Every structure is written in structure tokens, then in C-alpha cells.
Amino acid sequence: MEADDIDLDVVDLFFDDNDYNPKKYQDDISKIQTFVAGHHARMNKVVLVTSGGTAIPLENQAVRFIENFSGGKRGAASAEYFLSEGYGVIFLYRQGSLRPYSRHFAGGNILDVLEIREDCKDGTCSQLQVDTTKMPSLMAIVEAYQTAKNSGRLLEVSYHSLVDYIALLKASSEALHLLGSLAVFYLAAAVSDFYIPPSDMPKHKIQSTSGPLQLALHQVPKFLRALVSKWSPKAFVATFKLETDEAILIDKALGALSKYGHQVVIANILHERRYRVIIVTKEEQKELLLSRASQDQEHDIERVIVRDICIRHDQFHKGTEV
Ligand code: 9Z3
């Protein structure tokens, strides 16, 4: 048996061993399939953007989880830029993480820009007014959001645990296969490499009276290989590689490219990720760096990343047509 087959078997076993929320899962899959079919009919490009972290439950009826740092800014901002590039966007995000457009209000309190009209304060009417001077960008953001929604180009699907994430990634990938090379994967979610299989989890809450807690975490199978070789083999795939040590970043990115055989790795260092990334392909390494002035004006590096990925996808798609 080839190493690839072994990997793919491990992925199948993972699905056999792990249960996920079947009701929500079925609803989500049918929404994804309908979305993809609609875009296929119009020969539109569609990108799957994954975003946010994953929760690793420690108990079967879970009270505690292992989490990570990702807040979902990369994914949410990128989804907006893909929409403005004309793509249909399936936004697969961790519940509670940032979302396209509403992310702009996450740092403040939206209630601060709303006012109850003077003549409504006796409760006889229900009109609110918006003080846009307190948030000058509000109109443009609402307009962009409504355009995306009304044109049917944005589908948001949430997940919570690692298992939910992987199940939805598989279902989306299989649906997107219909689009061939018009489909893009932009995998920005920070997915845990480790988890506890259900058979190893205690049924009830772990008791602190049992003394120090020792956990054995298992490795999550490498789903990317299944995605690239089996679930959606004609798509353009861009993944992210996160490290904290610059010395190993590029080697790890190149290692991922040769292991999975996909098109692009976007390499980033944790504390530089808002202003610097390196686009790594088999042929080149290209640094994208926001200038100091752009950083001061809080410009998004995602605009530049998405522009670069769209150009590469366009070339890839044209190359597959001949
Ligand atoms: C990233 O590297 C993203 O850029 C961040 C974005 C998660 C750093 P934020 O959500 O951060 O805006 O706060 N994502 C991928 C990280 C990852 O786990 N990649 C896997 C790996 O490095 C491969 S898919 O092994």
C-alpha cells in the first residue's frame, strides 16, 4: 500500500470514530450544495474561506476545551476582499469569531451609535436613529454587506469543534468539486494538530479532586492530502503556515507544498501577521509587506494577499482550460 493510501485510510477512520452534530450538519451541507449549484450555473468563481480557531473538547459532555489564539480577522477581512473581486464566498468560521463586515464593529459597541428618537421615548413607536458621525464608515460597510447578501454571493456557515470543522470542510470540498478549477480554497483557520478521540474521553466532567491532570492528545490526520487528491482535486488551493520561529518558516511552507501538492502556502509569523506574509510557491517566495504608513492607517494586509491570490488563481484557471 502507498503512503498516500495509508493517509487517506486514516482520514476515513477519523470520520468513522467521530460523531458530529448531524442535524445542523445536514442543513449546512444542503445550503452549501445549493450555493455551489447556483454559482456553477453561472460559471462563477467560488472561494471557501476558513476562519478562526477550533475547540478541542476534553470530556464527552464537554465542560472544558483546548483553544487557540485565532480571532478570525484574517479570514473575515479576506472574505470581504474576495467578494469585492467578484467571487462567491463560502465563509466557514468558528462560532463567535469575527465575520465579514460586522468585524468592523467588534472593537466598539454598536449600541453607542444608536439612539431612540426623542418622540419614541414614551414607547409609542419603535424607531431608532443612527448617529453616523460616531462611525463614519458605517454606511459604506452596511452597503457592501447588503450588496454581498442580496447578490447571493456570501454564505456563512459556522462550526465549533475540530470535528465539526473537518466534517464541513470535507462536505464543502466535495460540493466545490463541481466547479473544477473555478473553485479556490483559502484555508486561514488555525486548526489544532492534536485532539482527544471520543473513545479516550471521560463521559463526565473531569474532577479536580483526582489531582494533576494528564492528557494524551492524538495527532489529527492530515486532511489536506485528502482535499487535494480526492475531495476537490481540480481546485486552486492556498493554505496558511503559521510559525513563531522565522528560521523554520520557509522550510515548513515548502515542505507542505511538496507533501500535499497544492499551489500556494501563505507563510506568516505570529506577531508579524498583520503586516507581513510570504507567498510561497514551488517557483518563488514573495514577501508582502505593509508600509509603516499603511500600518498606521490600519490598512488590511488581506487586501494585498487576496489580490495576489486572485491573480494566481486566474492564471491557474486559464492554464487548466487549454
Ligand atoms: C494562519 O496562519 C492565519 O494567518 C492566522 C490568522 C490564524 C495566523 P487571526 O485569525 O490569525 O487573524 O488572528 N492560519 C493557519 C494556521 C495553521 O494552523 N496552519 C496549519 C499549519 O501551520 C496548516 S493549514 O500547520
Side-chain angles (χ1 to χ4, degrees), residues 22 28 73 76 106 118 141 171 193 196 226-227 236 244-245 268 300 308 312-313 319:
D28 287 340
K73 195 252 169 172
E118 234 4 86
I141 294 165
D193 286 325
I196 303 178
L227 192 158
F236 182 87
T244 53
D245 179 1
N268 54 175
D300 295 327
D308 184 284
R312 289 173 198 275
H313 174 227

Side-chain angles (χ1 to χ4, degrees), residues 69-74 188-191 240-242 268 273-274:
F69 68 95
S70 169
K73 195 252 169 172
R74 175 81 84 227
V191 181
F240 282 79
K241 173 61 71 184
L242 174 74
N268 54 175
R273 71 189 190 281
R274 297 285 173 245

Side-chain angles (χ1 to χ4, degrees), residues 55 91 104 141 154 157 183 194 258 261 298:
F91 183 65
H104 298 276
I141 294 165
L154 174 60
V157 177
F194 303 101
S258 77
E298 297 186 3

Side-chain angles (χ1 to χ4, degrees), residues 73-94:
K73 195 252 169 172
R74 175 81 84 227
S78 300
E80 290 174 20
Y81 294 115
F82 276 114
L83 285 161
S84 56
E85 296 274 353
Y87 281 72
V89 174
I90 302 172
F91 183 65
L92 183 56
Y93 70 100
R94 164 64 199 269

Side-chain angles (χ1 to χ4, degrees), residues 3 16 40 57 66 76 86 92 96 101 107-108 112 117 141 167 187 298 306:
D16 292 345
H40 178 245
I66 298 176
L92 183 56
Y101 307 108
D112 290 335
R117 255 179 34 189
I141 294 165
L187 305 180
E298 297 186 3
V306 168

Side-chain angles (χ1 to χ4, degrees), residues 131-150:
D131 184 351
T132 46
T133 58
K134 289 186 181 149
M135 194 183 267
S137 56
L138 185 64
M139 282 288 278
I141 294 165
V142 172
E143 206 178 334
Y145 173 68
Q146 289 183 348
T147 304
K149 274 280 177 194
N150 296 342

